[in-house]
């Protein structure tokens, strides 16, 4: 499969990246390329210019910032998976990263790319949504912080504007227990349904592949807040959610799976 | 990396590392797409997006003006290139309908993926870009997708035929007796199974490079093919090129599984366009393109009935199936059901047998041979039906099999379908497998699990297969109307420096023939393995050959190598006797040296004999120079590998997910030349069969669109989904060939699919589940449970 023609430049710094992306309306950043290149090969994305941010090594870090952890956008999945800091402070994220694709994908794909891509079927965005993370972006009008709940907008659509660069992901500490259930047919596949459950004060539940973007299960969260049992809360997991049908599962089956997996996740929390 | 045959010990039966692997792993071996030929043109084939449609117009104006484009052709432009239509080599019946099939579709497209135009450009990307500019106007007709609907002829794939039925093929030696068996039976089970379509998905997509010599007038065709010899003959005939002017080379080929056992439009197009443009022409398949343009496997609706007496002993087997041909008959499309036709009673003794296949056209990619070809379908049907019979009779599935197995003293076994099974001890093999699995203990565990009310259900699946392979003798193939022979040829040549050249007519594409053939020769000649070179897959070097498919290579081609080596040795012995001035009977041969019995020191090494044969200074009267022999071997019978495959699964009742806990097989492929390669074939085969059970299906919508041609959606499993296989063996040499070998290339695939499906149904049988369609996706399993519980 051949992508359509495009130009390619390497960004030398964050400022340089912003300048280059502004030079062409059809330009796109490329980080690990593991979401963008497949789209280009299918000609579902046809950028005229790729601005490669892969060399911005100072955006690759994992830091303890006291009440939260800061992860640079260029941090590869494999680094998230193996980080000792994360394994100690936020093991859920390491675990979720370990389930992304296969080793090759995890060595190329970046957490920033996964978040900026905003695919409802991706693992890390849903996990970050359940963790109440927030995203730091820089653009022509400066630096801003966007809570995960406002970040994921729709099918491959996020709060980022095309000329904004995602630079960091902030994840609050204080998670007392968590569970992540990824249901798929083959080990390296995307989730048919995934459930991220996090207890950090209250309990938050987010879904993978239950809609066009990562979703919070308001039905389940409301039920738990009002003292429902795990079974009752799980039964309400898919309230207001209309998941897609595809070759792996019908919408109806996804709803069923979401309930079963939510129940299992909540059982692990308590 | 190679191991040397030690003094006095045979290399046969040793786990010798494959000599092919280092160069493959390091990327040194070249595949078609790696071949760099200066001045080559690239083509892109524009494919139909409609399943059944009249072509109203094709506008190529913009494409012709696109950058780098040399020419754009539609069917009418190339008509003069073809001396005949694309070949189907297996007209299974005299009245079989075989509509003419040309590399480009004319007037009507008949499947999504049917070629409608070809762009010739300097670069491959340029050809692809230009193809996107071609505008085709289709007048869409209703698509024929479902097999049983196709058989009703409501809509037609080929108007001119007046029917969708290509052929009806029947085998029913004694219809009255069969009728009687069924009417007198205590138990009758009638089962309906669906063999979904599969995409072969070889690791290397297809690729073609045609290089003309415009002045000399000859052509070299490189193709990622399993059948360079068949391709040479067929391409020469189709293009009107003298066979002597066409050389076909299959360089390193990355798997085929039957998908490269064909003569494809792109091979003919590249040749024709290289003739027209007097330049090399290349085509490399894209992965999703391959999902549509390379043949599919399976595609059958099977009805199988078993009649049994009060003890569950079989009285009769009756099978009727509809087989999906797809839109056209490719090389052996119609013959695939026949390769299973004789085996629907499996490893069980039965007197009465009937089989009927109806081949129908559909608006889908043509089907053809895919690993096992006909035999996985047969094994699936009988092994699933035996479980159904066990449930009906109320005995354990192992017990129903024990009661019906063909007994060792019945061999050679005259089967009710007219075959002669060569050799076997089925009860012994079965017992080894069940014991090693701990079958009765697992049954106890299953009972406990059920009693505990667990919602994770344990299932044990049995599959006992026998297959026919070797695909020879030629006379029998003739009786099935197969247009080619089943022999194989080999030349063994000891060179002046006593290095050995082996030329084989087989065409390995991952099977390790270079290693195995060298082992066969090393064993006989007693020379080091690394002194033996194996040449193949180039019609200029190996002019005679029947290629590689149907698990035939070792039993037919390996035997030819063995026999040629024997002939070389006979000649060497004559020459040595002459030189040593003794009679042949006085000579012993061991580890590459002739010695005179009882006279220590009176010796002549093979190296000496080879050099004498080369100089020809002192040969016996009448002996020709050179130490070389060629053999074409046509075996007297098929070979019949068999074995027991057992699967243990756990099914999550809530999610429908099947987890494969254990997989054990006891295969009997006769003598093993290289057990490492045998294991590799079994591993890959098992996974490919499991793929059919759990993961793979080419899904078409009602309009005939293939929904999952790409590997993002077509679920080829990987090692991560598999348990560690527990392999074992019994060894019953085949009397059909002097090596006593049977074939192992397809065994795993033939056996594993029903093992898995029987295990899943077994796990859920207490809930009332009796059947689940393949692939058994979590949703299908979950729904089957819902349905069973509801009723
Ligand atoms: C075979 C395969 C299997 C996979 N399996 C999984 C899986 O199981 N689970 C899963 O979650 N993911 C999976 N992925 C996706 C993988 O995780 C991707 O790597 C990831 O989603 C995107 O990261 P990337 O760095 O490759 O982004 P890219 O592909 O480079 O970019 C993706 C998009 O984000 C934009 N972008 C990237 N970085 C930034 C930035 N810093 N600021 C602004 N915009 C940016 C790009 O412009 C582009 O639009 C799989 C991918 C493949 C190829």
């Amino acid at each position: 499969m051949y992508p359509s023609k495009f130009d390619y430049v390497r960004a030398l710094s964050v400022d340089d990246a912003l300048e280059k992306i502004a030079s062409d309306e059809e330009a796109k950043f490329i980080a690990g390329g593991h979401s963008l290149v497949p789209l280009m090969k299918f000609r579902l994305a046809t950028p005229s210019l790729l601005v490669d941010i892969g060399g911005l090594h100072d955006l690759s870090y994992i830091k303890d910032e006291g009440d939260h952890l800061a992860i640079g956008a260029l941090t590869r999945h494999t680094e998230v998976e193996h980080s000792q800091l994360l394994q100690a402070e936020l093991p859920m994220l390491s675990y979720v990263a370990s389930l992304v694709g296969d080793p090759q994908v995890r060595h190329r794909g970046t957490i920033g790319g996964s978040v900026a891509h905003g695919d409802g079927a991706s693992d890390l965005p849903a996990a970050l949504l359940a963790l109440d993370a927030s995203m730091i972006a820089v653009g022509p009008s400066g630096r801003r912080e966007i809570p995960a709940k406002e970040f994921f907008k729709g099918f491959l659509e996020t709060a980022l504007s095309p000329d904004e660069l995602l630079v960091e992901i902030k994840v609050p500490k204080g998670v007392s227990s968590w569970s992540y259930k990824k249901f798929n047919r083959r080990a390296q596949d995307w989730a048919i349904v995934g459930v991220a459950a996090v207890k950090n004060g209250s309990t938050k539940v987010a879904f993978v592949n239950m809609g066009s973007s990562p979703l919070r299960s308001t039905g389940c969260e409301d039920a738990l807040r009002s003292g429902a049992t795990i079974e009752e809360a799980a039964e309400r997991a898919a309230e207001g959610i209309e998941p897609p049908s595809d070759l792996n599962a019908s919408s109806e089956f996804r709803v069923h799976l979401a309930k079963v997996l939510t129940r299992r996740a909540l059982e692990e929390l308590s | 990396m190679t191991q040397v045959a030690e003094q006095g010990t045979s290399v046969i039966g040793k786990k010798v590392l494959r000599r092919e692997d280092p160069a493959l792993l390091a990327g040194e071996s070249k595949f078609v797409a790696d071949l760099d030929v200066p001045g080559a043109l690239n083509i892109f084939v524009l494919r139909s997006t409609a399943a059944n449609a009249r072509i109203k117009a094709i506008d190529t104006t913009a494409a012709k003006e696109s950058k780098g484009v040399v020419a754009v052709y539609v069917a009418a432009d190339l008509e003069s290139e073809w001396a005949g239509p694309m070949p189907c080599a297996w007209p299974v019946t005299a009245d079989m309908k075989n509509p003419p099939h040309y590399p480009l579709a004319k007037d009507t497209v008949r499947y999504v993926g049917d070629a409608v135009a070809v762009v010739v450009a300097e670069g491959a990307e340029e050809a692809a870009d230009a193809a996107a500019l071609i505008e085709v106007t289709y007048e869409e007709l209703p698509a024929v997708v479902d097999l049983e609907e196709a058989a009703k002829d409501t809509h037609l794939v080929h108007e001119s035929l007046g029917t969708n039925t290509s052929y009806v093929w029947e085998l029913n030696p004694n219809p009255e007796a069969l009728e009687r068996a069924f009417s007198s039976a205590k138990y009758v089970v009638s089962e309906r199974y669906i063999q979904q379509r599969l995409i072969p998905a070889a690791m290397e997509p297809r690729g073609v490079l045609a290089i003309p010599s415009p002045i000399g007038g000859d052509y070299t065709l490189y193709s990622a093919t399993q059948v360079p010899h068949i391709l040479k003959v067929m391409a020469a005939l189709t293009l009107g090129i003298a066979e002597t002017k066409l050389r076909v080379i299959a360089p390193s080929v990355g798997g085929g599984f039957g998908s490269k056992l064909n003569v494809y439009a792109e091979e003919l197009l590249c040749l024709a366009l290289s003739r027209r443009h007097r330049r090399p022409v290349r085509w490399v398949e894209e992965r999703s393109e391959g999902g549509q343009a390379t043949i599919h496997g399976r595609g059958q609706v099977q009805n199988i009935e078993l009649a049994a007496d009060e003890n569950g002993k079989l009285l009769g087997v009756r099978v009727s199936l509809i087989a999906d041909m797809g839109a056209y008959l490719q090389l052996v499309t119609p013959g695939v059901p026949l390769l299973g036709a004789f085996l629907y009673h499996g490893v069980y003794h039965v007197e009465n047998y009937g089989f009927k296949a109806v081949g129908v056209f559909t608006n889908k990619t043509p089907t053809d041979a895919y690993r096992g070809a006909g035999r996985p379908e047969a094994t699936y049907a009988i092994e699933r039906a035996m479980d159904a019979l066990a449930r009906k009779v109320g005995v354990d599935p192992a017990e129903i099999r024990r009661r019906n197995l063909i007994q060792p003293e019945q061999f050679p076994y005259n089967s009710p379908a007219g075959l002669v099974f060569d050799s076997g001890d089925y009860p012994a093999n079965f017992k080894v497998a069940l014991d090693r699995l701990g079958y009765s203990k697992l049954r106890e565990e299953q009972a406990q699990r059920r009693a505990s009310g667990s919602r994770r259900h344990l299932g044990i699946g049995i599959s006992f297969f026998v297959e026919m392979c070797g695909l020879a003798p030629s006379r029998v193939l003739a009786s099935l109307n197969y247009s080619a022979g089943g022999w194989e040829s080999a030349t063994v040549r000891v060179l002046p420096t006593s290095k050995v050249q082996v030329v084989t007519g087989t065409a390995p594409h991952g099977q390790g023939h270079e290693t195995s053939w060298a082992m066969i020769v090393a064993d006989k000649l007693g020379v080091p393995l690394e002194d033996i070179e194996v040449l193949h897959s180039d019609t200029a070097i190996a002019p005679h050959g029947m290629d590689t498919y149907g698990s035939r290579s070792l039993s037919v081609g390996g035997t030819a190598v063995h026999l040629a080596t024997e002939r070389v040795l006979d000649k060497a012995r004559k020459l040595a006797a002459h030189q040593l001035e003794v009679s042949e009977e006085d000579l012993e041969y061991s580890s590459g040296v002739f010695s005179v019995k009882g006279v220590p020191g009176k010796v002549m090494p093979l190296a000496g004999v080879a050099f004498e044969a080369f100089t020809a200074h002192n040969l016996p009267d009448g002996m020709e120079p050179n130490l070389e022999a060629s053999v074409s071997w046509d075996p007297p019978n098929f070979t019949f590998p068999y074995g027991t495959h057992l699967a243990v699964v756990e099914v999550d009742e809530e999610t429908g997910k099947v987890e494969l806990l254990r997989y054990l097989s006891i295969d009997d492929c006769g003598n093993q030349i290289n057990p490492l390669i045998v294991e590799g074939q079994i591993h890959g085969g098992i996974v490919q069969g499991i793929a059919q059970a759990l993961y793979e299906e080419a899904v078409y919508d009602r309009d005939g669109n293939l929904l999952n041609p790409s590997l993002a959606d077509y679920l080829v499993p990987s090692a991560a989904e598999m348990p560690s296989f527990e392999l074992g063996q019994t060894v019953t040499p085949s009397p059909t060939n002097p090596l006593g070998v049977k074939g192992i290339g397809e065994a795993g695939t033939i056996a594993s699919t029903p093992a898995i499906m029987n295990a899943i149904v077994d796990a859920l049988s207490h809930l009332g589940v009796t059947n689940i369609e393949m692939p058994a996706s979590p949703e299908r399993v979950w729904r089957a449970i819902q349905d069973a519980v509801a009723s």
Side-chain angles (χ1 to χ4, degrees), chain B residues 20-170:
Chain B
E20 292 88 343
D21 290 344
L24 282 168
L25 293 172
E28 188 179 274
S29 305
K30 297 280 180 263
F31 298 85
V32 171
D34 298 322
L35 302 175
D36 196 10
V37 184
L41 293 166
N42 288 275
I43 64 169
F44 187 93
V45 178
L46 182 74
R47 300 186 182 282
S48 169
T49 52
N52 192 9
R54 293 212 176 83
I55 302 173
K56 295 313 266 180
I58 306 183
D59 185 349
T60 59
T61 328
K64 280 179 174 151
E65 281 157 16
S66 185
K67 186 165 165 279
V69 170
V70 173
V72 181
Y73 298 112
V74 299
D77 304 324
L78 295 181
E79 270 172 3
S80 62
E81 298 290 343
W82 318 123
M86 288 169 58
C88 170
W90 203 338
V92 292
T93 60
D95 60 352
M96 180 186 84
K97 296 193 171 54
N98 178 21
H101 182 200
Y102 286 92
L104 293 180
K106 198 187 170 199
D107 305 332
T108 306
V109 290
R110 295 195 169 84
Y111 65 99
V112 172
D114 212 351
V116 286
V118 55
V119 179
V120 186
E122 298 292 339
E125 288 86 352
E126 288 167 336
D129 284 343
L133 303 174
I134 300 176
E135 278 182 36
V136 188
T137 316
Y138 295 111
E139 180 193 327
E140 296 217 24
L141 304 167
V144 181
V145 179
D146 180 81
L147 289 192
E148 282 155 321
E149 281 303 314
K152 292 179 194 155
D153 290 341
T154 319
H155 301 290
L156 296 177
V157 178
H158 298 275
E159 278 297 331
S160 61
L161 299 181
T163 174
N164 288 323
T165 296
S166 172
Y167 68 85
V168 178
W169 191 91
E170 252 182 297

Side-chain angles (χ1 to χ4, degrees), chain A residues 1-5 42-43 182-190 192 246-254 256-257 260-261 263-264, chain B residues 124-125 128-129 132 286 288 652 654-655 657 694-695 699 707-708 710-711 713-718 720-721 775 777-779 782-783:
Chain A
M1 236 161 277
Y2 308 101
S4 44
K5 291 252 161 1
F42 279 113
R43 298 197 172 190
K182 179 170 180 171
F183 188 85
N184 55 14
R185 288 172 72 182
R186 298 179 305 177
Q188 80 272 28
D189 274 333
W190 300 80
I192 294 174
D246 57 31
L247 291 179
N248 282 317
S250 67
S251 178
E252 183 194 357
F253 186 53
R254 278 203 163 81
H256 167 76
L257 281 177
V260 172
L261 298 176
R263 195 199 74 227
R264 290 179 181 179
Chain B
E125 288 86 352
D129 284 343
E286 296 182 347
S288 324
D652 182 338
E654 285 187 294
T655 64
K657 187 158 177 170
L694 293 178
Y695 301 106
V699 184
L707 301 182
N708 55 349
S710 96
L711 289 186
D713 302 310
Y714 187 82
L715 306 183
V716 177
S718 74
E721 284 75 53
S777 65
E779 179 157 4
W782 176 71
R783 286 192 187 279

